[in-house]
Amino acid sequence: MRISVIGCGYLGAVHAACMAKLGHEVVGIDVDERKIAELSAARAPFFEPGLEELLGEVQETGRLSFSTDMAAAKGSAVHFICVGTPQKKGENGADLTYVDAATAALLPYLSPGEIVVGKSTVPVGTAARLAMTLEQAGLNAHLLWNPEFLREGHAVSDTLHPDRLVYGVAGGSEEHEAVQVLDKVYATPLESGTPRLVTDLPTAELVKTAANSFLATKISFINAMAELCDAVGADVTLLADAIGMDDRIGRKFLNAGIGFGGGCLPKDIRAFMARAGELGADQALTFLREVDAINMRRRTRVVELTRELCGNTLLGKRITVLGAAFKPESDDVRDSPALSIAAQLQLQGAVVTVTDPEALANAARRFPELHYEESTNSALNRADALLLLTEWREYRDLDPYETAALVSTPRILDGRNVLDASKWRAAGWTYRGLGRP
Ligand code: UDX
């Protein structure tokens, strides 16, 4: 099938490459010339494991191209909208400028019978509004909402082998003619047994925000337990293991630490609360305010613990922060708790050095005032305290004896609870976890 993918960020670039991998003829469109130039040369404009190999592989088949010109969408049977919906400046709601602009720019190139499929995370009600825009244009083109659940760092496999496919269509009927079209797009995952649910438009939009809210709640729940564990000297990692053995609860997403960040969970729960307020249902989501507050409190807690670890003062202390990305296997620093902690420590008088295997360029753009060091060993050199804030494999695998020889004082705060505390203590380190005795 001929497919256009509008917006080539984390979501769209991966989606375009994966659709070509599934055998479709795909054009990726974005207004950002640099991004399109990179993608056209089969280079990933951001770090995502497996993406560059996939781009190279599918471009060789001639099935994937990129353009900055919306006219390239003409003639595609399916148009995916994959643009960003960031948080509005100074407000909780989502900024829909890009979604609206992409839809408006696409209209002149749509032909009757084609379908427009939204994948971006949007406030409930957006799809119905865009469907109305299409209807008013008299194009006889359908609008569907097909939320995307990919995780950064696993984006390629999540797109090729999704847990489930959700199709939101006006009226929510399986008989809707566009359902068959989307079934053809996803023929490969459907044949391999991926469940597919057909819903109405608002349910499909809500599935995404509800899923992200649930995940955020799970993380804040365990972080709240970490606060209690700290108060009584209990161990939150064992607590998580024990409650996670109940398969109604499950162990995944119960890792206590410095909290969640990234381009999705924080802004999605805020946009969800804002939208609930507009709909007069704000009481239903007041608990998300607490989820957000618990999450933000983690960052302050780490700053306080670091101060304690450094003998109750941060002034002039050389602090090395291991990890800048909001999670490992990503170079994304949007709302990264690691960087926000690093910046706070620096503001409070510490001399902070940040290192990360992939995210330093993005980090330096966002926080130019911090000092960055590419080599882990140089970053460790003469540190008064280490903070492990993003659990990249290479930091989890650090040898406590070799590391002790590099630093000035062997003190470590394990912000992700991933190190073996007894091993580090045996090597002479003062070890602090979060919610661990
Ligand atoms: C998330 C959703 O998982 C995905 O389904 C959705 O499509 C987009 O948002 P992503 O932002 O890539 O994906 O990251 P995710 O793996 O969910 O992690 C989010 C944050 O939570 C990270 O900062 C991570 O470090 C943190 N986290 C995750 C924890 O603190 N503890 C955990 O147990 C799990």
Side-chain angles (χ1 to χ4, degrees):
M1 294 179 81
R2 280 191 69 182
I3 290 178
S4 80
V5 176
I6 297 146
C8 292
Y10 285 96
L11 166 59
V14 175
H15 193 67
C18 290
M19 291 304 102
K21 171 80 180 167
L22 295 181
H24 304 299
E25 197 181 310
V26 183
V27 59
I29 301 170
D30 200 292
V31 291
D32 183 338
E33 285 177 12
R34 189 193 64 88
K35 219 176 262 174
I36 292 301
E38 294 278 295
L39 288 164
S40 301
R43 282 193 301 267
F46 47 85
F47 178 79
E48 180 61 44
L51 177 59
E52 206 146 277
E53 293 78 355
L54 181 62
L55 283 169
E57 180 194 325
V58 288
Q59 283 192 12
E60 256 172 43
T61 65
R63 288 198 305 268
L64 179 62
S65 60
F66 291 94
S67 176
T68 51
D69 185 357
M70 189 62 92
K74 197 169 170 55
S76 288
V78 181
H79 306 271
F80 283 104
I81 306 276
C82 295
V83 293
T85 50
Q87 189 174 337
K88 275 188 203 158
K89 287 216 163 49
E91 278 178 61
N92 272 349
D95 179 354
L96 294 176
T97 315
Y98 304 110
V99 171
D100 291 340
T103 313
L106 178 63
L107 281 181
Y109 302 105
L110 284 179
S111 301
E114 292 177 1
I115 65 171
V116 179
V117 184
K119 288 199 86 66
S120 310
T121 302
V122 291
V124 58
T126 307
R129 181 169 64 72
L130 295 177
M132 187 65 78
T133 310
L134 249 63
E135 208 178 305
Q136 281 164 355
L139 287 164
N140 193 24
H142 298 290
L143 185 115
L144 277 75
W145 217 261
N146 170 221
E148 178 57 56
F149 306 100
L150 66 79
R151 298 159 299 167
E152 287 179 25
H154 305 270
V156 172
S157 65
D158 283 354
T159 308
L160 290 173
H161 313 285
D163 294 335
R164 75 291 207 191
L165 290 161
V166 176
Y167 303 175
V169 295
S173 162
E174 292 251 353
E175 309 308 320
H176 194 293
E177 58 191 280
V179 167
Q180 286 172 18
V181 184
L182 219 44
D183 276 351
K184 270 198 225 154
V185 172
Y186 294 122
T188 310
L190 288 172
E191 274 158 24
S192 60
T194 303
R196 167 282 244 158
L197 286 97
V198 179
T199 71
D200 53 29
L201 290 172
T203 304
E205 291 167 306
L206 280 172
V207 168
K208 177 60 194 273
T209 23
N212 277 358
S213 299
F214 192 86
L215 294 172
T217 304
K218 210 171 171 191
I219 300 169
S220 278
F221 172 81
I222 202 65
N223 280 329
M225 294 305 111
E227 289 184 14
L228 275 168
C229 285
D230 263 341
V232 294
D235 189 332
V236 75
T237 55
L238 294 175
L239 175 96
D241 290 345
I243 63 172
M245 282 169 191
D246 180 335
D247 61 15
R248 292 170 303 174
I249 297 174
R251 180 64 177 82
K252 287 182 188 162
F253 264 67
L254 277 186
N255 295 320
I258 64 173
F260 58 81
C264 294
L265 299 192
K267 70 132 173 110
D268 287 352
I269 60 169
R270 290 174 195 152
F272 200 16
M273 284 185 271
R275 186 66 185 133
E278 287 167 6
L279 294 166
D282 42 347
Q283 258 193 327
L285 297 187
T286 39
F287 76 96
L288 285 180
R289 222 181 292 155
E290 200 51 39
V291 166
D292 202 0
I294 294 168
N295 192 50
M296 298 315 281
R297 211 149 65 214
R298 302 311 287 163
R299 305 178 184 191
T300 348
R301 171 89 184 128
V302 170
V303 173
E304 287 319 309
L305 273 180
T306 311
R307 191 196 313 280
E308 271 175 36
L309 194 64
C310 291
N312 293 323
T313 176
L314 288 168
L315 279 181
K317 296 291 178 187
R318 296 170 56 93
I319 312 267
T320 297
V321 169
L322 300 168
F326 83 103
K327 69 173 193 182
E329 303 301 325
S330 170
D331 65 355
D332 195 348
V333 299
R334 285 176 294 171
D335 207 352
S336 164
L339 268 185
S340 128
I341 290 165
Q344 256 312 311
L345 290 168
Q346 171 116 333
L347 273 176
Q348 299 198 22
V351 182
V352 180
T353 298
V354 180
T355 187
D356 188 286
E358 296 292 341
L360 288 192
N362 285 342
R365 267 193 289 276
R366 200 154 282 222
F367 288 95
E369 67 275 24
L370 292 169
H371 174 65
Y372 298 98
E373 197 62 73
E374 263 183 45
S375 132
T376 309
N377 277 6
S378 312
L380 292 171
N381 195 27
R382 297 194 298 122
D384 293 314
L386 303 186
L387 268 53
L388 195 167
L389 299 187
T390 312
E391 67 278 34
W392 286 94
R393 167 65 49 203
E394 64 178 273
Y395 305 146
R396 304 169 73 134
D397 289 347
L398 278 174
D399 179 84
Y401 291 94
E402 286 168 17
T403 310
L406 294 168
V407 298
S408 167
T409 320
R411 294 189 276 227
I412 187 158
L413 194 155
D414 178 4
R416 298 290 187 171
N417 289 339
V418 288
L419 300 175
D420 180 340
S422 52
K423 205 168 118 188
W424 283 73
R425 286 187 179 129
W429 287 78
T430 305
Y431 170 94
R432 281 302 313 250
L434 297 178
R436 294 174 103 180

